[in-house]
Amino acid sequence: MPAFVYMLRCADGSYYVGSSRGESLEKRVGEHQAGTFAGYTSSRRPVMLVWSEPFERFDEAVACERRLKGWSRAKKEALIRGDWDGLQAAAKRPGAQRAADPSLSRPTQMPHPEVPASASLEGGLQKSR
């Protein structure tokens, strides 16, 4: 039986990712819209379908749903836009993004004002008496 993974944009701007069995998503989106079942979207209506993907098997749809639920907002929005370059960039670890784009690098960290610059981690910090 065919299945779908879908993403809804809720009235509060958040995203909901779900999966459903069946030939069409119309019924399931209608249930979200009507608040048929108590849950995340019932208090965040109206909702709008912003992305979906069909699958041949329901277990594949559920696996995809679980992956998407762990994604950052930036990755979800890149997927919605069909922005594959943006999706790739959002998928990189923050350190990898900084290495690829020097404008994202962190400023040089200065020692904490209460810790003398001569203090080292190897020697350990001594408590003031």
Side-chain angles (χ1 to χ4, degrees):
M1 172 179 258
F4 291 90
V5 174
Y6 60 93
M7 195 176 322
L8 305 174
R9 180 177 295 121
C10 300
D12 65 0
S14 64
Y15 293 108
Y16 173 83
V17 178
S19 57
S20 180
R21 297 176 195 253
E23 299 292 328
S24 165
L25 274 176
E26 287 180 35
K27 179 182 178 207
R28 185 65 185 117
V29 173
E31 291 169 343
H32 281 288
Q33 203 65 275
T36 303
F37 304 106
Y40 187 83
T41 60
S42 64
S43 62
R44 292 171 171 84
R45 295 178 286 148
V47 297
M48 182 172 74
L49 179 66
V50 293
W51 179 85
S52 67
E53 184 72 26
F55 286 85
E56 289 295 318
R57 296 178 19 197
F58 186 64
D59 62 327
E60 293 171 342
V62 169
C64 180
E65 173 192 3
R66 288 181 180 155
R67 278 193 307 275
L68 293 177
K69 283 185 175 187
W71 282 15
S72 68
R73 182 177 183 86
K75 282 177 71 172
K76 289 174 184 172
E77 289 178 343
L79 178 66
I80 292 165
R81 290 189 312 269
D83 178 4
W84 309 123
D85 292 334
L87 183 61
Q88 249 184 340
K92 291 181 180 176
R93 293 184 329 270
Q97 289 176 354
R98 282 191 297 278
D101 184 353
S103 69
L104 297 175
S105 65
R106 292 183 184 162
T108 304
Q109 292 186 355
M110 301 302 289
H112 192 277
E114 296 174 12
V115 178
S118 60
S120 73
L121 293 177
E122 292 148 3
L125 296 175
Q126 301 295 319
K127 272 189 166 179
S128 301
R129 293 182 196 241

